[in-house]
Structures are given as structure tokens and as C-alpha cells.
Amino acid sequence: MNNLRFLFYTNERNQAFCDLCLDYFFKHCQDPNVKVSVISNGYNSSFKKHAGRVEYLDSATSLGDRYRFPLTMEYALSKIQEEYVFLFFDDYFLLRDVQLDRLKELLDFIQHENVDYFGFDELVGLKEEFKEYKSEKFPQFDGQIAMKPKDYMYLYSLQPSIWKKEDRKS
């Protein structure tokens, strides 16, 4: 998964919470080769508990406006080399082990089908609003993936989700 970066978003008030979130992430994602970054609009240096395993990006020094999520994310995306970003916020905790083989399979699907955003939204009760997505190359996902209409009120749920970096930069 050389083309995927896990990105955790936090702010200057929730950094201790983000450190705890990262504790759970590394507990449940044992692959030492995963690439992880944290973006914040300002850091207290005491909250860089995972230095060495995590790239800490600080947008405050580059943006001036410390409280703007879109500008902070734009800055983060400009610093990330990978094609895809798996976005987490500082309050998203993994409670089970990451199935890296399934994640790789999903990433292969996303690349092959040219998906620019993949959300892990709960579709219970909403299936009639969405069109079921079928793939000839990935039939194992039939019945599990749906496309939201372009005019859907909540087109992008921010967490957790996989973004094609170039498509999110604009």
C-alpha cells in the first residue's frame, strides 16, 4: 500500500486525544510500513508521542489562519506524496485489528474504478436513495457498495474516508 497515507486531523485543543487515538491505531494496525501523518493547526510539542512513526504536519506556521479546516487540509495534502489519503479525525478510535489484505483489496477497487472518494458510511435505511454499484473486476463488493446521487445533501462524510488526493485538493 505504497500509495496510501493515513492522515489524522486534530487541532491545538485535542492533541492529547489524538495521541490516544494513535495509540489505538498502532495497537490495531501492526504493519510497521504504514505511513501515518497528523495535521494540526498548532502543536504543543509535548504531544508528539509518536514521533518516529508519525509525520507531524503543522499548518499554523504556514497558513496564518489557525482555525480553518479547508486551508489546514489543503496544506496537509500539499505535503503528502501518496495518491490516496485515509482520513481520520482525532475522535475516531479503532477497536479491532485492521484487515490489511481487505484494505489493499478495497484500494485496488478504488484505483481500478477511478473512485475519488470512498466513505464508510452506514447505509441502513438509505439504500433506496442510493444506486448499487457493481464492478465486473471486483464482484466480491457487489451489494456492499452504493453510489450517492450527486445532489445528495451529505455527499461527503468526513470520517472515516479514503480520498484521492488530487481530487480533494480543489
Side-chain angles (χ1 to χ4, degrees), residues 109-162:
F109 165 82
I110 288 170
Q111 289 178 294
H112 181 269
E113 300 294 324
N114 198 27
V115 174
D116 66 345
Y117 164 85
F118 186 91
F120 295 86
D121 304 14
E122 183 64 49
L123 298 176
V124 174
L126 298 175
K127 279 219 170 187
E128 63 278 354
E129 296 181 45
F130 302 141
K131 179 182 173 190
E132 185 176 332
Y133 190 86
K134 292 186 182 274
S135 169
E136 289 182 23
K137 184 173 179 178
F138 296 91
Q140 66 270 34
F141 292 121
D142 288 356
Q144 298 178 41
I145 296 177
M147 290 178 38
K148 294 178 181 178
K150 290 184 187 231
D151 61 348
Y152 188 69
M153 181 188 309
Y154 303 110
L155 192 55
Y156 297 104
S157 171
L158 292 179
Q159 69 169 357
S161 53
I162 298 175

Side-chain angles (χ1 to χ4, degrees), residues 1 84 127:
M1 292 187 302
Y84 292 93
K127 279 219 170 187

Side-chain angles (χ1 to χ4, degrees), residues 71-136:
L71 292 176
T72 301
M73 286 304 298
E74 183 179 316
Y75 176 79
L77 294 175
S78 76
K79 298 297 182 187
I80 291 172
Q81 300 301 313
E82 291 74 22
E83 184 178 6
Y84 292 93
V85 174
F86 197 150
L87 179 66
F88 289 82
F89 278 67
D90 53 22
D91 61 352
Y92 190 80
F93 288 81
L94 293 179
L95 300 177
R96 287 183 275 181
D97 288 347
V98 175
Q99 297 176 12
L100 292 169
D101 56 333
R102 292 282 291 164
L103 182 57
K104 182 181 180 335
E105 186 178 35
L106 178 61
L107 196 56
D108 290 345
F109 165 82
I110 288 170
Q111 289 178 294
H112 181 269
E113 300 294 324
N114 198 27
V115 174
D116 66 345
Y117 164 85
F118 186 91
F120 295 86
D121 304 14
E122 183 64 49
L123 298 176
V124 174
L126 298 175
K127 279 219 170 187
E128 63 278 354
E129 296 181 45
F130 302 141
K131 179 182 173 190
E132 185 176 332
Y133 190 86
K134 292 186 182 274
S135 169
E136 289 182 23

